[in-house]
Amino acid sequence: MQQFITWKLDKSEFPKRSNVPADPYQLTEVGFSWQKATALHQQALAAQRMKTRAEKRRDLLREATTKIAPLQDAVELGIATEDEIAALNTWKHYRVALNRLDTTTVESEWPVVLR
């Protein structure tokens, strides 16, 4: 007599994963209905897009902070030129705009800094 090991697939765990299946068909192969597989796939894609936007904002904030630091030093030391003061204000406005950016929506427009 053959014995088979069976297990229950815990479908509630899937949306928490970071890997996005190539298509919903992969999910139907492990037991999800087509409707649920499509919904989960779209949810995973949206989460991946949001993560990418958050990473982009983090990188741009890091760049802005790097640009601001020496300009702020010059202002604090009283040796800043008019161009450096203007650049400092521009970068600070840009950094504030980045901090206010909602990375959870695709419709948000990214602020632009004039270089």
Side-chain angles (χ1 to χ4, degrees):
M1 182 195 290
Q2 289 184 331
Q3 289 186 351
F4 296 95
I5 299 173
T6 59
W7 67 90
K8 260 195 149 159
L9 180 63
D10 186 2
K11 296 177 183 179
S12 66
E13 289 297 315
F14 180 77
K16 296 175 186 166
R17 297 177 191 227
S18 60
N19 294 335
V20 178
D23 59 55
Y25 291 108
Q26 292 176 335
L27 296 172
T28 60
E29 291 174 1
V30 294
F32 288 97
S33 69
W34 176 252
Q35 292 81 12
K36 185 67 173 176
T38 302
L40 287 172
H41 186 255
Q42 291 303 316
Q43 183 181 357
L45 288 174
Q48 187 179 51
R49 283 190 296 268
M50 189 169 47
K51 180 181 176 186
T52 300
R53 291 174 59 80
E55 289 171 351
K56 177 181 177 180
R57 180 174 69 172
R58 184 194 66 229
D59 292 344
L60 292 173
L61 282 168
R62 186 178 303 129
E63 177 187 7
T65 299
T66 300
K67 298 286 187 179
I68 288 170
L71 297 170
Q72 185 67 45
D73 291 345
V75 168
E76 289 174 4
L77 292 171
I79 58 173
T81 66
E82 291 299 318
D83 288 343
E84 289 172 328
I85 293 170
L88 176 62
N89 286 330
T90 300
W91 279 105
K92 283 186 172 184
H93 280 91
Y94 175 70
R95 186 167 63 175
V96 168
L98 280 174
N99 274 311
R100 292 179 178 169
L101 182 71
D102 182 7
T103 59
T104 62
T105 63
V106 177
E107 294 82 28
S108 299
E109 287 191 32
W110 290 89
V112 178
V113 65
L114 301 175
R115 298 174 190 226

